[in-house]
Amino acid sequence: MIVAKFSGYCTTSAYGLTQWDYGQELALECPDIDIPDGTEINFYQGKLSSIDYLKNKHAMIPDIMLQNAGEITAYVYIRSPDSGETILSIQLPIRAVSYTHLRAHETRSNL
């Protein structure tokens, strides 16, 4: 689980993602902001985009975005019948995994 901690600011970075590590969950720690279940979280990476909905301030990071090293930007967006507002943003850098590292892991797995 990747934890994004907010302390008085509306933007933060959360570390710990590694390329190809699927099934990663993002948890928001922001005690000063009430975020209801069902709030949108929009993920962007280059030309890729995805929407999920928060439950207990948790959402799944899109697996397809974890195929690429680089960075994901996530925006927490609250809608009402009359308006919408981005209330938080998160930068999620992804550490690259080299091909030789993957091959070494594959070789160890086959022993």
Side-chain angles (χ1 to χ4, degrees), residues 16-72:
L17 290 175
T18 301
Q19 185 180 10
W20 301 108
D21 284 355
Y22 295 117
Q24 297 298 308
E25 184 175 1
L26 176 64
L28 306 181
E29 283 187 11
C30 45
D32 299 336
I33 300 175
D34 180 38
I35 302 175
D37 282 354
T39 297
E40 277 185 27
I41 183 163
N42 298 278
F43 294 93
Y44 296 94
Q45 182 189 56
K47 294 181 180 182
L48 297 174
S49 65
S50 181
I51 296 174
D52 198 4
Y53 298 91
L54 293 168
K55 184 172 180 180
N56 297 319
K57 297 185 181 179
H58 288 234
M60 296 305 293
I61 298 169
D63 286 341
I64 193 165
M65 293 181 184
L66 295 169
Q67 293 178 13
N68 305 301
E71 189 168 87
I72 298 170

Side-chain angles (χ1 to χ4, degrees), residues 95 97-111:
R95 183 177 65 86
V97 175
S98 69
Y99 179 73
T100 54
H101 172 78
L102 291 174
R103 294 291 298 163
H105 177 71
E106 184 179 282
T107 301
R108 283 193 302 272
S109 297
N110 291 334
L111 294 178

